[in-house]
Amino acid sequence: MNKIITVTLNPAIDKTTSTDKIVPEKKLRCVHPTYEPGGGGINVSRALSHLGCESLAMYFSGGFNGNFFKKLLTKENIQSLVVPVKTHIRTNIIVVENTTGFQYRFGMESQQVQPKDWKLFLKKLEEQSGYEYVVASGSLPDGVPLDFFGRMSAIVKKANAKLIVDTSGEALQHAIQEGVFMIKPNLNELSFLYGKEELRMDEAVFAAKSIINKKGCEVMVVSMGKDSSILVTANENHQIVPPPVSVKSTVGAGDSMVAGMVYALSHGMKWKDVLLYGVACGSAATMNNGTALCKKEDVEKLLLQMKSENKI
Ligand SMILES: Nc1ncnc2c1ncn2[C@@H]1O[C@H](COP(=O)(O)OP(=O)(O)OP(=O)(O)O)[C@@H](O)[C@H]1O
Ligand SMILES: [Mg+2]
């Protein structure tokens, strides 16, 4: 039985390669291509796996790319629950220019999802039992209704489990209209939810409380990059300033943070430790190049460092 299910509606294969210089019209010799499975929930499953925690990854998939995608996950000991669609999983391309170190990221448009596909997704989720947490991360592909995470929330509540949502804009707005267990917006995402063009850091707790009071969520974690992170519930507030780290790439920091918090929750930790694990995993992810997520040894080092500095 899997205690944690991750949900990815917009998965992608990330193909990374490098070339000396990017110039127009010339054939560019690209070397050592690597392939990684990506998309919000998939990243959470991979980061959980780095922490030694199992999860079931549920995602839309199709075509021969879909089979390859599943193999990539199996190689990382992640179990798949595939909801079939007619189109291929997209492949994003990341090219590193060796002479400058710049990274060029080409993201492909999402696969087209039909009404019967997203209805099947909800049905398959309804058929699951015995899980404790569902983590939905990432954007909605074309064809999926904006209230999809709200619909998921109703199903997860019925199963006496908890839904954690990390997305943005209207998809997040609809999720809190139904009410979810936890959300993890950054400050921009929270500003949109709160209906203000820009929120200052010191306004985040107030904005989070007002959404919690309206039963939009039970817990909110607002991440503010290197500056701070706060965790707010109806009765508690906690804040942590992330440890100083040598940042290589912030890609995947948010998903690693969510994975850290789900790990802590599924191990019965208290709120302040949930935030501590989240920040340690988010910051550990930034210590690696490209799309690499948090490594367990970095997380452990940062946890020790933060505890000894009494960050919490
Ligand atoms: N420059 C940094 N230095 C240290 N830690 C960082 C830095 N940037 C991000 N982090 C860590 O990652 C966590 C999440 O980062 P951030 O607030 O940027 O999330 P996000 O905007 O949701 O990111 P994403 O684009 O991955 O969704 C932070 O709480 C922090 O622990
Ligand atoms: Mg994010």
Side-chain angles (χ1 to χ4, degrees), residues 164-190:
I164 298 166
V165 177
D166 184 8
T167 187
S168 56
E170 288 177 275
L172 184 55
Q173 219 164 28
H174 278 88
I176 62 166
Q177 269 164 24
E178 170 65 34
V180 298
F181 172 64
M182 183 184 206
I183 61 174
K184 192 224 65 72
N186 58 30
L187 206 51
N188 283 336
E189 289 159 352
L190 176 60

Side-chain angles (χ1 to χ4, degrees), residues 184 186 223-226 229 242-243 245 247 250 252-254 257 279 282-283 286:
K184 192 224 65 72
N186 58 30
S223 66
M224 295 170 264
K226 64 176 179 355
S229 276
V245 290
V247 176
T250 57
M257 180 181 202
V279 169
S283 297
T286 69

